[in-house]
């Protein structure tokens, strides 16, 4: 309950900032770029989008393929949704003619985000206990995390196209995601302990600063000088190892 109250307060403050802005500057658009592993909202969004579309045979079949199935595993759920996405792509020309390119793009993005979210969850819950299995699982998890980051980039680019070339965006997130130099970081927590901790996967921050070559202003809030809060960790803290150039100091 306390966490929900904090979230409500945070979003209320964001809305107030937008409402108090200079009218000629337009509204501030906020969205979360990190992928939520709770899929209920995504299913509702997709179902709402499909309901607004003029119904035909293709739409009915897509809606049926997306509808949740009782007692299926996470891997089965991912496979079912990937089939629905393939069905959408196979009918892309006729669907675009029916619902328009923009709505088509939003529908695909919502479905791809849901698939990636569930794929991450499916791998995450398979964490083994034996040492050899843990090493192999860590490699798989890091690959999924990298794919997840690319999904965040796709969401961000979609939003950038929506707000137009003069729009401005603020990204708020954990430092791993927004780091401009992720190769200087190591991913260490209770899920991926030493000595299996790999270097950080390519981040959305690296993509913005290097590939898009856009000007970026960063504000960092460092918790406890070298530790990150994480509910998966014993005592609610996880050590973070970084390079010497990180914030001008060595954190350990």
């Amino acid at each position: 309950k306390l966490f929900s109250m904090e979230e409500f307060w945070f979003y209320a403050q964001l809305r107030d900032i937008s409402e108090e802005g200079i009218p000629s500057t337009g509204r501030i658009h906020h969205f979360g770029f990190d992928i939520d592993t709770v899929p209920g909202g995504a299913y509702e969004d997709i179902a709402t989008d499909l309901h607004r579309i003029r119904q035909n045979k293709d739409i009915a079949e897509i809606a049926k393929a997306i509808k949740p199935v009782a007692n299926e595993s996470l891997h089965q759920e991912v496979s079912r949704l990937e089939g629905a996405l393939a069905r959408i792509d196979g009918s892309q020309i006729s669907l675009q003619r029916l619902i328009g390119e923009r709505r088509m793009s939003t529908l695909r993005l919502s479905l791809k985000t849901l698939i990636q979210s569930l794929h991450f969850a499916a791998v995450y819950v398979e964490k083994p206990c034996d040492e050899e299995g843990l090493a192999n699982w860590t490699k798989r998890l890091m690959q999924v995390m990298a794919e997840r980051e690319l999904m965040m980039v796709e969401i961000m680019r979609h939003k950038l196209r929506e707000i137009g070339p003069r729009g401005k965006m603020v990204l708020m997130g954990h430092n791993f995601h927004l780091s401009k130099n992720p190769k200087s970081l190591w991913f260490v927590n209770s899920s991926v302990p030493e000595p299996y901790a790999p270097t950080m996967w390519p981040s959305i921050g690296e993509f913005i600063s290097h590939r898009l070559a856009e000007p970026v202003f960063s504000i960092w809030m460092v918790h406890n000088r070298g530790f990150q809060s994480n509910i998966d960790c014993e005592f609610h803290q996880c050590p973070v190892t970084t390079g010497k150039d990180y914030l001008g100091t060595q954190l350990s």
Side-chain angles (χ1 to χ4, degrees):
K1 183 177 179 180
L2 180 61
F3 183 77
S4 298
M5 290 173 62
E6 287 292 328
E7 277 198 322
F8 181 84
W9 175 86
F10 176 67
Y11 290 124
Q13 295 299 310
L14 289 176
R15 178 178 175 81
D16 288 344
I17 291 172
S18 178
E19 295 299 324
E20 293 170 6
I22 300 172
S24 61
T25 61
R27 294 181 59 84
I28 296 174
H29 299 274
H30 166 265
F31 71 98
F33 72 90
D34 204 348
I35 294 181
D36 188 1
T37 54
V38 181
Y43 272 114
E44 288 295 325
D45 288 343
I46 294 168
T48 300
D49 285 341
L50 289 175
H51 182 71
R52 291 172 178 168
I53 298 170
R54 181 161 51 86
Q55 298 297 301
N56 65 8
K57 182 180 178 181
D58 288 336
I59 297 298
E61 289 179 350
I62 290 168
K64 183 179 179 181
I66 291 174
K67 188 176 180 179
V69 176
N71 300 320
E72 64 182 350
S73 68
L74 283 169
H75 288 292
Q76 290 171 334
E77 191 171 6
V78 169
S79 179
R80 171 176 55 78
L81 292 171
E82 286 178 337
L85 181 62
R87 187 182 293 273
I88 289 174
D89 290 341
S91 306
Q92 188 166 356
I93 296 176
S94 60
L95 284 175
Q96 277 190 358
R97 192 180 300 118
L98 180 68
I99 66 178
E101 185 176 351
R102 182 175 180 178
R103 183 173 286 180
M104 176 76 172
S105 176
T106 301
L107 177 63
R108 289 191 75 259
L109 186 67
S110 296
L111 186 53
K112 287 181 67 177
T113 303
L114 176 57
I115 290 170
Q116 189 58 51
S117 172
L118 292 169
H119 181 49
F120 167 78
V123 173
Y124 189 85
V125 298
E126 292 177 341
K127 180 182 177 182
C129 298
D130 63 290
E131 187 169 329
E132 182 179 355
L134 183 62
N136 292 329
W137 174 82
T138 299
K139 294 178 183 178
R140 289 180 61 213
L141 181 64
M142 292 304 99
Q143 179 61 39
V144 172
M145 294 294 276
E147 294 169 0
R148 191 167 175 257
E149 200 84 16
L150 288 174
M151 191 70 242
M152 296 178 196
V153 170
E154 187 172 344
I155 294 170
M156 181 198 68
R157 300 191 76 168
H158 177 82
K159 293 295 181 181
L160 283 172
R161 288 192 295 270
E162 281 190 342
I163 64 178
R166 300 188 65 182
K168 295 180 180 180
M169 181 178 291
V170 177
L171 294 181
M172 293 176 288
H174 298 108
N175 51 3
F176 276 7
H177 295 301
L178 298 178
S179 171
K180 300 177 190 177
N181 186 23
K183 291 181 181 178
S184 67
L185 303 174
W186 283 262
F187 184 79
V188 185
N189 66 18
S190 61
S191 298
V192 187
E194 298 276 14
Y196 307 111
T199 55
M200 172 69 182
W201 52 90
S203 68
I204 190 172
E206 181 183 35
F207 181 88
I208 295 169
S209 59
H210 294 292
R211 296 194 190 181
L212 293 184
E214 294 287 349
V216 177
F217 179 74
S218 301
I219 300 174
W220 295 89
M221 293 182 290
V222 180
H223 170 72
N224 204 23
R225 304 299 293 174
F227 286 81
Q228 65 164 330
S229 298
N230 192 313
I231 60 173
D232 293 331
C233 294
E234 189 177 6
F235 308 120
H236 306 289
Q237 289 183 331
C238 305
V240 178
T241 307
T242 71
K244 292 183 179 180
D245 59 343
Y246 181 69
L247 293 179
T249 185
Q250 173 70 42
L251 304 181
S252 61

